[in-house]
């Protein structure tokens, strides 16, 4: 079992460690905030491009199917 003195020292050491770690955290500056906003905008733009590409791909597929249907009709 730990003695009272060891318990107090351990508690003081943990408290000091927690204070040191929390003091190391930097506040976000304007450049960091702008960077995050840029990242967010790029991600959203990428999602929109993906959706548009998917729609174009679907339209190309439909067009290909229509061409194949017409080619089959012409063979008859």
């Amino acid at each position: 079992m730990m003695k009272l003195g060891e318990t107090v020292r351990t508690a003081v050491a943990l408290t000091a460690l927690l204070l040191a770690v929390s003091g190391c955290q930097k506040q976000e500056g304007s450049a960091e905030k702008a960077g995050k906003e840029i990242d967010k905008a790029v991600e959203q733009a990428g999602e929109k491009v993906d959706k548009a590409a998917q729609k174009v791909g679907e339209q190309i597929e439909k067009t290909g199917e229509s061409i194949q249907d017409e080619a089959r009709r012409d063979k008859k």
Side-chain angles (χ1 to χ4, degrees), residues 17-37:
L17 180 63
L18 289 173
L19 288 173
V21 170
S22 66
C24 291
Q25 294 177 349
K26 293 182 181 179
Q27 297 294 324
E28 270 190 9
S30 59
E32 288 86 0
K33 289 178 184 176
K36 284 184 179 183
E37 290 297 319

Side-chain angles (χ1 to χ4, degrees), residues 4-48:
L4 181 60
E6 290 176 20
T7 305
V8 170
R9 275 185 269 167
T10 303
V12 169
L14 287 174
T15 302
L17 180 63
L18 289 173
L19 288 173
V21 170
S22 66
C24 291
Q25 294 177 349
K26 293 182 181 179
Q27 297 294 324
E28 270 190 9
S30 59
E32 288 86 0
K33 289 178 184 176
K36 284 184 179 183
E37 290 297 319
I38 291 169
D39 289 345
K40 185 177 173 183
V42 168
E43 184 177 332
Q44 289 174 346
E47 290 171 358
K48 288 180 181 180

Side-chain angles (χ1 to χ4, degrees), residues 2-3 5-6 14 23 26 35 37 46-47 49 55 61-63 67 70 72:
M2 282 184 130
K3 294 181 183 176
E6 290 176 20
L14 287 174
K26 293 182 181 179
E37 290 297 319
E47 290 171 358
V49 168
K55 287 182 181 180
E61 196 172 314
K62 286 180 184 178
T63 301
I67 292 170
E70 284 298 318
R72 287 185 195 115

